[in-house]
Amino acid sequence: MIIEKFEGVTPTEKLLAKYCENTFLKLWSYANPYNDKHDELCDLLAVFENHIYIFFDRENLILEDKSKNPEVSWNRWKKKVIDDQIRNAKGAERYILSGREIFLDQKNLISFPIKIDHEKSIVHKIIIAHGAKNACKDASIDNIYGSLAISYGPNDIEFPLPFFIHLDKNDPVHIFDSYNLPIIFSELDTFYDFTSYIEEKENAINKYDSLVYCGEEDLLAHYFLNFNEDNNNHYIGTLDTDINGIYIGEGKWHEFKKHKQYIARKEADKIS
């Protein structure tokens, strides 16, 4: 049976589907799946072995309007692009783990072709947030690329700062934005590499009281620069067991691109 794959509806959804098709999720990713009530489950669902990736992709250009109150604009943007999508992602996770059937079409005629082991599945929730890049850069000269700052910690802590998103460490959701999305997909271009990064990130979120970074690309640079030869793996954080919090400052990725390790890696990629 030939499975017709959808390419997404909005321009940003189509871009996300294209990244997945062109890289590591080609065989295991499906855009715009539906639940048994004929409602869209998420923007893209990827399943490989016991890993399930739930993607929500949202764009809101309200932050581009400089005539509006910046604080009001930020709160509206965050509610629609971040808060509402986190709630949707948690709902999709509950649905998938309940064992109810997933379909590729709204009429529920084509079943999702990948078998899901609901008891052994590990779910990773990912929000792709568009529309804040220019506003982020305008807000601070130190924000080189216009990336969103992220922190993970207790759920009862709230940071009222624009362009700074606080997330619950006990139920982590990953936030990528317009700038670092293509970096993540190009630098972690196999399922193994991507999953290793996500798992190590979730391990660090669980391990430390707080994990704070100025952009996902900066966290990725930190990950690449830390390598444990004993375990033969990259890691996030420190081997010092007395440390209970990690902060990664602005510009780590900018510096890493000039690092000999990164340059050597890119040269090796050209040869291969």
Side-chain angles (χ1 to χ4, degrees):
M1 178 180 178
I2 299 176
I3 301 295
E4 180 180 358
K5 298 186 72 173
F6 298 96
E7 298 179 350
V9 179
T10 69
T12 58
E13 287 177 6
K14 291 180 179 180
L15 181 63
L16 174 61
K18 181 180 178 181
Y19 280 136
C20 291
E21 285 289 312
N22 290 341
T23 56
F24 58 98
L25 296 176
K26 182 176 182 179
L27 299 177
W28 313 293
S29 63
Y30 292 84
N32 308 110
Y34 289 84
N35 62 24
D36 56 17
K37 292 184 177 181
H38 310 279
D39 296 322
E40 189 173 289
L41 182 64
C42 60
D43 292 320
L44 189 139
L45 183 64
V47 179
F48 183 75
E49 295 180 342
N50 63 331
H51 290 275
I52 300 175
Y53 290 92
I54 301 171
F55 289 88
F56 277 86
D57 180 288
R58 285 296 179 271
E59 181 175 33
N60 188 332
L61 299 178
I62 192 170
L63 289 176
E64 301 296 323
D65 188 349
K66 296 182 180 180
S67 65
K68 296 183 179 297
N69 183 297
E71 184 175 349
V72 172
S73 296
W74 166 252
N75 289 332
R76 288 177 178 174
W77 182 91
K78 180 176 177 293
K79 180 181 183 301
K80 182 175 181 179
V81 178
I82 304 296
D83 300 338
D84 289 353
Q85 304 320 311
I86 289 177
R87 184 165 53 253
N88 291 337
K90 290 180 178 181
E93 178 182 34
R94 288 193 298 271
Y95 181 91
I96 293 169
L97 294 181
S98 73
R100 292 165 65 181
E101 192 166 0
I102 303 169
F103 299 91
L104 297 185
D105 67 314
Q106 191 171 21
K107 294 182 179 180
N108 290 178
L109 299 176
I110 307 173
S111 296
F112 190 74
I114 303 176
K115 182 177 176 58
I116 295 176
D117 187 337
H118 306 96
E119 294 184 357
K120 297 181 180 179
S121 294
I122 302 171
V123 178
H124 311 283
K125 301 180 287 292
I126 300 174
I127 309 298
I128 313 299
H130 299 283
K133 180 178 178 180
N134 291 333
C136 286
K137 293 176 72 174
D138 291 342
S140 172
I141 60 173
D142 294 325
N143 196 328
I144 302 173
Y145 301 116
S147 300
L148 295 165
I150 306 291
S151 75
Y152 292 90
N155 193 36
D156 57 356
I157 296 176
E158 182 61 37
F159 288 86
L161 300 175
F163 317 116
F164 196 115
I165 298 171
H166 180 71
L167 301 167
D168 183 4
K169 73 183 299 292
N170 296 311
D171 189 11
V173 177
H174 305 274
I175 308 291
F176 301 155
D177 57 42
S178 299
Y179 176 74
N180 52 52
L181 175 66
I183 293 177
I184 296 296
F185 274 83
S186 62
E187 299 295 336
L188 304 169
D189 59 356
T190 69
F191 189 89
Y192 174 80
D193 288 342
F194 184 78
T195 299
S196 296
Y197 172 72
I198 293 295
E199 285 189 312
E200 179 54 38
K201 180 182 172 184
E202 291 178 355
N203 287 340
I205 292 170
N206 180 64
K207 176 181 178 181
Y208 296 105
D209 293 341
S210 65
L211 173 64
V212 183
Y213 51 91
C214 292
E216 191 75 30
E217 71 278 6
D218 296 318
L219 183 67
L220 182 63
H222 169 86
Y223 170 81
F224 280 141
L225 287 169
N226 287 346
F227 187 77
N228 188 332
E229 295 184 357
D230 293 335
N231 297 330
N232 194 36
N233 71 288
H234 293 280
Y235 63 93
I236 292 172
T238 174
L239 299 180
D240 187 343
T241 57
D242 293 329
I243 302 297
N244 64 357
I246 299 298
Y247 171 79
I248 299 168
E250 178 71 42
K252 195 76 172 179
W253 178 255
H254 182 71
E255 296 172 2
F256 177 64
K257 289 197 301 181
K258 303 175 183 178
H259 196 279
K260 60 181 180 181
Q261 177 180 331
Y262 183 79
I263 296 173
R265 179 181 175 184
K266 288 303 178 183
E267 290 299 322
D269 289 343
K270 291 179 181 179
I271 296 175
S272 60

